[in-house]
Amino acid sequence: AVVGIDLPGHGGSPDAADGSVAALADGVIAAIAQTATGGPWILCGHSMGGKIATLLAARSRDGVRGLAGLAGVVLVAASPPCPEPMEEARRQEMLGWFAQGAPSRADAETFIDANTHRPLQGIAREAAIGDVLRTDAIAWRAWLEQGSRAHRQEQAARLHVPALILA
């Protein structure tokens, strides 16, 4: 079975206490604890979720409780454990979308269009736009100002689970 988990502050999930990378990872562990059915499982993460999945694989390696059975990770266009390469003008544009709280629909559409290989259509496009519109402003800003800039290379080194990386 596939179980979708929204990162704290994204989709339908309440925001993490401080929006930090560690708090996002803790939120995913809590969600896993609520949905795990036992046996081996694979964690898949996209974009910032990929960075979180990588760090959870490191936590699993280190014996952190709640991650037993992790058999591998799938990283889809994942943010790297090092600072994400991003032009400062792009970062400021995306921060501006949430300066007054929630973004406009046009801003959400711009984000989706800039982050998909092919234009999304119909229900898939509306779902993606809806997810951006429901994103908590604190979580959005924390990712752009801190999480995407976080240095976690040492923590993520020498993972002991298979990884499928789709870029």
Side-chain angles (χ1 to χ4, degrees), residues 6-145:
D6 289 326
L7 292 174
H10 298 82
S13 179
D15 193 21
D18 62 8
S20 68
V21 169
L24 293 176
D26 290 345
V28 173
I29 290 173
I32 290 167
Q34 292 177 350
T35 59
T37 57
W41 52 278
I42 295 174
L43 184 59
C44 180
H46 169 255
S47 191
M48 77 173 135
K51 186 171 197 165
I52 301 305
T54 300
L55 298 176
L56 289 179
R59 286 184 179 194
S60 174
R61 174 204 60 216
D62 297 341
V64 170
R65 196 176 153 150
L67 296 171
L70 178 63
V73 293
V74 177
L75 308 175
V76 182
S79 294
C82 62
E84 185 172 340
M86 183 186 306
E87 292 181 14
E88 192 56 31
R90 173 83 171 131
R91 183 182 310 276
Q92 292 306 314
E93 175 188 27
M94 291 190 296
L95 284 167
W97 296 341
F98 283 79
Q100 303 301 318
S104 69
R105 180 175 172 90
D107 293 336
E109 290 173 350
T110 298
F111 179 77
I112 295 303
D113 293 344
N115 288 286
T116 56
H117 176 67
R118 288 187 206 104
L120 296 178
Q121 303 294 319
I123 294 170
R125 180 176 170 74
E126 288 305 311
I129 291 167
D131 281 346
V132 173
L133 291 172
R134 287 193 316 271
T135 300
D136 182 84
I138 293 170
W140 183 273
R141 288 192 300 268
W143 174 254
L144 287 168
E145 293 172 344

